[in-house]
Amino acid sequence: MARIGVPRALLYYNYFPAWKKYFEELGAEIVLSDRTTKKILDSGIKVAVDETCLPVKLFYGHVDNLREKNVDYLFIPRIVSVEKKRYLCPKFLGLPNMVKNLMPDLPPIIDFKKDLSKKSKDFYLDLYDLGKKFTGNYFKIYMAYKKAMKELKNYRQHLLKGYTPAECLDQKDKSHSSEKSNINIAVLGHSYNLNDPYISMDIYGKLNKMGVNVVTSEMLPESVYHEGIKNLRKDIFWTFGKEIMGSAYYLLDNDMVDGVVVVVSFGCGPDSLIGEIIERTYKRKREKPLLFLTLDEHTGEAGVLTRLEAFIDMVKFKKSA
Ligand code: SF4
């Protein structure tokens, strides 16, 4: 049975249930990298060039962690676009090449390409090419894909019920309750930053302990993102940018939250633009408190906790006033 290593980073939080189902249906075994630790992050930092953003450095660290696990392949997809007319950041497009060039002596990389901005026929051909590594049975490949899509749908339905990706992927109970508090805080940012407790310094846990309800983009249906950005003069080119901005504007326009925390990565081009637009719009016409947290490998937990506490105090004060 082929063993396929999957790094527990980047799009793992968006698509892992589908990847797992697809490969398992084709008879392969999935091997995940360990949970993020300082050692994993440091090994990624060691190989990355300085300008690389934190989540990509961490991804390298997880790839390195898989070296010790005796896998036959590494699954590092090349995700260009997951919807028409919008794209993921170029780092996702070049991820397999960057890994190959920076990290020699790795197991063979499966770099399946997903580009839904092109004709869907190309996507299906790539999908069959991927499946052919494990079986010559086209029907089996097709059924594996169908089952994977069903798994992804179930996963997203769980997220809409208020579970976080980490809770679903680890099959844990919901750690927060919507009845806990009358204060709702939106925490917006890339799923791979927010849901890795080491990188986010357990931001959800910290906010829960402060007695507030956390709302994230994943808990909102896709239609909300489009509704949120419908009044922008220019459409948003980035899929993740659309999710972050659409959620921020929708939640505020509909008075659904008492404050917003935006988490961005240092060195992220798309984040710097999206963050700037959100901040300017807030300053111009919004009355809700907004906190920007920028993460990099030097961010200290004490500093994050202090800023969060001060922010929540301000939200509570504003609400009571
Ligand atoms: S969107 Fe930003 S944080 Fe995410 S991979 Fe691209 S540069 Fe890095």
Side-chain angles (χ1 to χ4, degrees):
M1 186 189 274
R3 286 164 55 83
I4 302 177
V6 176
R8 201 189 284 259
L10 291 179
L11 298 180
Y12 158 81
Y13 295 98
N14 299 66
Y15 298 111
F16 180 68
W19 297 344
K20 183 171 187 290
K21 190 76 184 168
Y22 180 78
F23 288 120
E24 284 182 350
E25 285 295 315
L26 296 179
E29 184 193 345
I30 292 289
V31 180
L32 266 175
S33 57
D34 295 332
R35 284 173 212 292
T36 302
T37 57
K38 182 166 179 346
K39 187 175 166 225
I40 290 183
L41 178 58
D42 285 348
S43 69
I45 292 171
K46 219 154 100 188
V47 294
V49 292
D50 285 350
E51 304 76 47
T52 312
C53 63
L54 180 66
V56 171
K57 286 177 180 163
L58 182 64
F59 187 86
Y60 296 153
H62 279 274
V63 170
D64 196 41
N65 177 261
L66 284 165
R67 279 183 205 265
E68 304 152 12
K69 296 191 183 284
N70 200 20
V71 295
D72 302 303
Y73 297 101
L74 287 170
F75 182 56
I76 305 185
R78 186 187 299 274
I79 313 264
V80 181
S81 162
V82 292
E83 59 182 329
K84 295 275 177 237
K85 295 188 184 163
R86 285 199 181 85
Y87 296 87
L88 265 58
C89 112
K91 302 262 170 61
F92 290 99
L93 205 156
L95 202 54
N97 302 80
M98 294 194 297
V99 169
K100 261 184 231 167
N101 286 322
L102 291 168
M103 306 174 76
D105 307 323
L106 289 173
I109 292 177
I110 301 176
D111 73 346
F112 169 67
K113 182 171 162 197
K114 181 167 179 180
D115 184 359
L116 293 190
S117 66
K118 297 261 163 54
K119 289 187 194 127
S120 45
K121 188 174 133 242
D122 295 345
F123 169 69
Y124 288 113
L125 289 175
D126 288 340
L127 195 73
Y128 278 120
D129 273 347
L130 172 65
K132 270 193 322 196
K133 286 188 197 307
F134 306 94
T135 175
N137 183 336
Y138 281 87
F139 182 68
K140 201 170 171 185
I141 299 173
Y142 174 74
M143 286 314 292
Y145 169 68
K146 284 286 189 201
K147 286 180 186 171
M149 289 298 100
K150 198 171 163 203
E151 202 66 23
L152 191 60
K153 199 172 162 196
N154 286 341
Y155 173 59
R156 290 192 174 149
Q157 275 166 356
H158 265 81
L159 299 179
L160 290 176
K161 284 182 195 156
Y163 288 88
T164 63
E167 283 163 355
C168 293
L169 295 168
D170 296 342
Q171 301 188 340
K172 283 198 291 195
D173 285 339
K174 223 166 157 177
S175 58
H176 53 277
S177 148
S178 53
E179 287 140 34
K180 212 192 274 180
S181 159
N182 64 341
I183 304 219
N184 294 307
I185 300 293
V187 182
L188 305 175
H190 297 290
S191 192
Y192 39 83
N193 281 334
L194 298 177
N195 290 292
D196 184 318
Y198 184 87
I199 290 301
S200 73
M201 291 164 212
D202 192 23
I203 189 166
Y204 295 154
K206 285 187 171 54
L207 287 169
N208 285 326
K209 277 192 197 137
M210 291 176 207
V212 301
N213 302 322
V214 171
V215 183
T216 68
S217 301
E218 292 112 353
M219 295 172 189
L220 305 170
E222 173 86 21
S223 57
V224 157
Y225 312 145
H226 296 275
E227 179 73 21
I229 57 166
K230 72 174 185 219
N231 292 328
L232 289 180
R233 267 186 285 168
K234 250 182 138 184
D235 199 9
I236 303 280
F237 185 74
W238 309 108
T239 290
F240 293 146
K242 173 200 77 177
E243 290 176 12
I244 297 170
M245 282 184 76
S247 309
Y249 291 168
Y250 180 86
L251 290 167
L252 285 155
D253 288 343
N254 292 283
D255 204 18
M256 290 167 75
V257 287
D258 303 294
V260 176
V261 180
V262 179
V263 179
V264 297
S265 311
F266 182 77
C268 169
D271 275 3
S272 57
L273 185 69
I274 299 294
E276 181 72 22
I277 300 174
I278 295 180
E279 202 168 9
R280 281 190 192 192
T281 315
Y282 265 65
K283 278 189 186 150
R284 231 182 12 245
K285 57 177 188 171
R286 318 268 170 182
E287 287 168 0
K288 306 275 178 181
L290 171 76
L291 172 68
F292 254 92
L293 285 178
T294 304
L295 301 176
D296 70 6
E297 58 268 39
H298 308 297
T299 309
E301 187 161 4
V304 169
L305 182 61
T306 308
R307 293 189 66 199
L308 277 177
E309 281 173 346
F311 176 72
I312 297 302
D313 283 348
M314 181 172 60
V315 170
K316 286 181 178 165
F317 173 74
K318 266 202 126 179
K319 191 154 170 120
S320 63

